[in-house]
Structure formats: structure tokens, C-alpha cells
Amino acid sequence: MTRLVNPATGEVFAEVPDTSPEQVDAAVARAAAAYERWRWVAPGERARLLRRFAAVVDAHVEELARIEVRNSGHPIGGARGEAGNV
């Protein structure tokens, strides 16, 4: 188990399970398969999907920024900017 620590406070805010080499290999294989499907998506459909993703990110900028602050210790203003750049 890996502990996630807020570098600004030293507080452990989450624990995540460690992964085995086999689990990493399986994740890479799934990503490769997803790429093979994605590369055949028509440009207009890709644009539609990416705009939908951007709208979801925009709706959650504050939440994403707060996660980044906890995870990296960045100031909230910078983290908001980073979240908005996704």
C-alpha cells in the first residue's frame, strides 16, 4: 500500500494499493487496444468527444485543483490554472 502525503502539511490523505508488474502489463495492453480503436474514430467524432471531456473538466475545475493542491502542494491559484489547461 502506498500512502499519498500532502507535501505542505505532511498529512496522509489517501492510500492506494500497489500494483504488480502483471497489473501494469495488463493496463498497458488495455491502453494499446484503446488506441487502436481511437485511431479509427473520425475527426469530427473525436472533436465531439474531446469537447465533451473538456466540458466535464470545466465543471470540476475546483475539485481537480484541490486534488492537485493536496497531491503536490501547489498554490490553489496555480492548481486552478493547471486544471483549466487539461
Side-chain angles (χ1 to χ4, degrees):
M1 195 66 73
T2 297
R3 292 180 175 192
L4 302 181
V5 178
N6 180 330
T9 65
E11 171 194 8
V12 174
F13 64 89
E15 290 185 349
V16 294
D18 295 327
T19 57
S20 69
E22 295 79 18
Q23 289 171 309
V24 172
D25 288 345
V28 170
R30 287 191 304 273
Y35 169 73
E36 287 303 317
R37 290 188 304 272
W38 177 252
R39 68 186 287 215
W40 295 108
V41 174
E45 180 66 3
R46 279 188 190 191
R48 184 188 72 75
L49 292 167
L50 290 171
R51 282 192 295 273
R52 192 169 105 196
F53 174 75
V56 172
V57 169
D58 286 346
H60 295 275
V61 164
E62 189 64 23
E63 176 186 359
L64 294 168
R66 292 194 181 281
I67 291 168
E68 182 65 13
V69 167
R70 280 195 334 195
N71 191 47
S72 68
H74 291 177
I76 189 67
R80 286 180 182 125
E82 290 175 20
N85 286 331
V86 169

